[in-house]
Amino acid sequence: MEQGLELEGYNPDLHADPAVAFRIRVGESEQEIPFHHHRKGQLILALHGGIACEVEQGVWMVPPQYAVWLPGGLAHSNRATANAQLCFLFIEPGAVNLPRSCCALKISPLVRELILTLAERRKTQSEPAQMARLVEVLFDELARQPVEQLQLPVSRHPKIRAMVEALAAKPDDRRTLAAWAAQFAMSERNLARLVVKETGLSFRRWRQQLQLIVALRLLIDGQQVTQVAQALGYDSTTAFITMFKKALGQTPGRYLRDAQTPASGL
């Protein structure tokens, strides 16, 4: 990631500031930060493009205007799309009332601008009292942001991992639960129970969530709605649009237009 000199070598655990923000531009190829952890919590806001965050029990795909929240001490990896524009916000543990587990948040325009302002004023070394007031307002609003279901529950169970890898590589795979059970030499009922136990979702709902994550990545990469529908094996574009709108509250066409609007000032 083209993080800039102000983030290069920055170790959040060496600082006790309540909040520190950085604006980041990703290079022309997808970039990944391998598994790591730090004492401070981290909010990663996507301005343009997207970022996928993986923890032990799930994967979050964050599109523009959303953020992923990673509590302090949680091991995670980050994978950003090419040319993505992001904000990293490091938060001192206990400084703000946010969920204790990893989650995706829908970020309001006000919170977005507060984070951007914090990043800009940090570079200009604004007065500590001004920064403190800005952070106080940010924390008040940040605690109000709604949680969105943009995660794919996963586990270390080899059968779940095998399905994740196969469906991620070939998302139009329409194998039934019975077919997967036959491949794993187990009964359909036992596999259904295993999926629910390991992911908290039924097989049908879990596979749909995986397809949504893949669809977000493909849309961010610039593919058209019809192409994404075909890639996911939908019989019609309309069926894909219906699924997408039910999950995210807007059509993929509207989402794609929003995702292709770069953030100003970067």
Side-chain angles (χ1 to χ4, degrees), residues 10-20 37-42 69-74 76 89-93:
Y10 176 78
N11 183 347
D13 290 347
L14 298 180
H15 304 269
D17 312 69
V20 180
H37 63 86
H38 32 72
R39 180 179 58 82
K40 284 183 181 287
Q42 183 178 12
W69 164 241
L70 300 154
L74 180 67
H76 60 280
L89 176 66
F90 295 100
I91 300 177
E92 189 70 9

Side-chain angles (χ1 to χ4, degrees), residues 1-257:
M1 296 184 186
E2 298 176 2
Q3 299 172 338
L5 295 177
E6 66 273 13
L7 184 55
E8 186 175 337
Y10 176 78
N11 183 347
D13 290 347
L14 298 180
H15 304 269
D17 312 69
V20 180
F22 296 90
R23 299 179 69 166
I24 296 169
R25 182 192 296 273
V26 177
E28 295 183 357
S29 60
E30 185 175 88
Q31 299 292 319
E32 181 172 4
I33 300 176
F35 271 90
H36 63 287
H37 63 86
H38 32 72
R39 180 179 58 82
K40 284 183 181 287
Q42 183 178 12
L43 187 82
I44 305 177
L45 169 63
L47 303 171
H48 175 64
I51 187 164
C53 298
E54 182 175 355
V55 298
E56 182 178 355
Q57 297 296 326
V59 178
W60 277 257
M61 183 69 187
V62 183
Q65 314 313 321
Y66 290 79
V68 62
W69 164 241
L70 300 154
L74 180 67
H76 60 280
S77 66
N78 304 326
R79 187 175 67 256
T81 60
N83 300 310
Q85 298 174 17
L86 312 168
C87 272
F88 282 4
L89 176 66
F90 295 100
I91 300 177
E92 189 70 9
V96 61
N97 185 22
L98 285 173
R100 296 183 178 180
S101 58
C102 186
C103 65
L105 300 175
K106 173 67 173 175
I107 300 299
S108 69
L110 174 58
V111 169
R112 176 182 181 273
E113 292 305 316
L114 286 169
I115 294 173
L116 291 174
T117 301
L118 183 64
E120 184 62 29
R121 290 190 179 178
R122 178 192 51 76
K123 291 191 296 183
T124 58
Q125 297 182 341
S126 296
E127 290 293 331
Q130 295 178 348
M131 295 289 281
R133 289 193 294 269
L134 178 62
V135 169
E136 184 176 357
V137 175
L138 171 60
F139 284 173
D140 284 345
E141 293 299 320
L142 195 55
R144 301 172 183 266
Q145 304 308 290
V147 175
E148 298 288 339
Q149 299 303 314
L150 293 177
Q151 77 273 19
L152 176 69
V154 296
S155 78
R156 293 184 176 179
H157 195 286
K159 291 182 173 60
I160 301 298
R161 285 289 181 178
M163 288 193 291
V164 169
E165 293 172 4
L167 292 172
K170 199 174 186 300
D172 59 346
D173 187 339
R174 308 304 291 181
R175 267 180 289 181
T176 63
L177 182 64
W180 280 108
Q183 178 177 326
F184 294 142
M186 60 191 303
S187 71
E188 182 177 354
R189 172 179 288 186
N190 284 342
L191 181 57
R193 288 175 175 171
L194 177 66
V195 173
V196 172
K197 176 185 176 182
E198 294 292 328
T199 71
L201 300 175
S202 68
F203 173 75
R204 179 177 178 276
R205 181 70 184 86
W206 179 79
R207 182 170 64 181
Q208 184 183 78
Q209 190 70 4
L210 185 148
Q211 288 189 320
L212 177 64
I213 298 296
V214 173
L216 287 171
R217 176 176 57 80
L218 295 177
L219 287 170
I220 290 170
D221 286 344
Q223 292 198 26
Q224 299 300 310
V225 175
T226 54
Q227 293 175 304
V228 176
Q230 292 173 358
L232 297 182
Y234 277 82
D235 295 331
S236 70
T237 303
T238 300
F240 166 67
I241 292 174
T242 299
M243 181 279 290
F244 193 97
K245 186 174 181 179
K246 183 177 181 181
L248 291 182
Q250 61 180 346
T251 66
R254 174 63 181 273
Y255 163 79
L256 187 59
R257 288 191 294 273

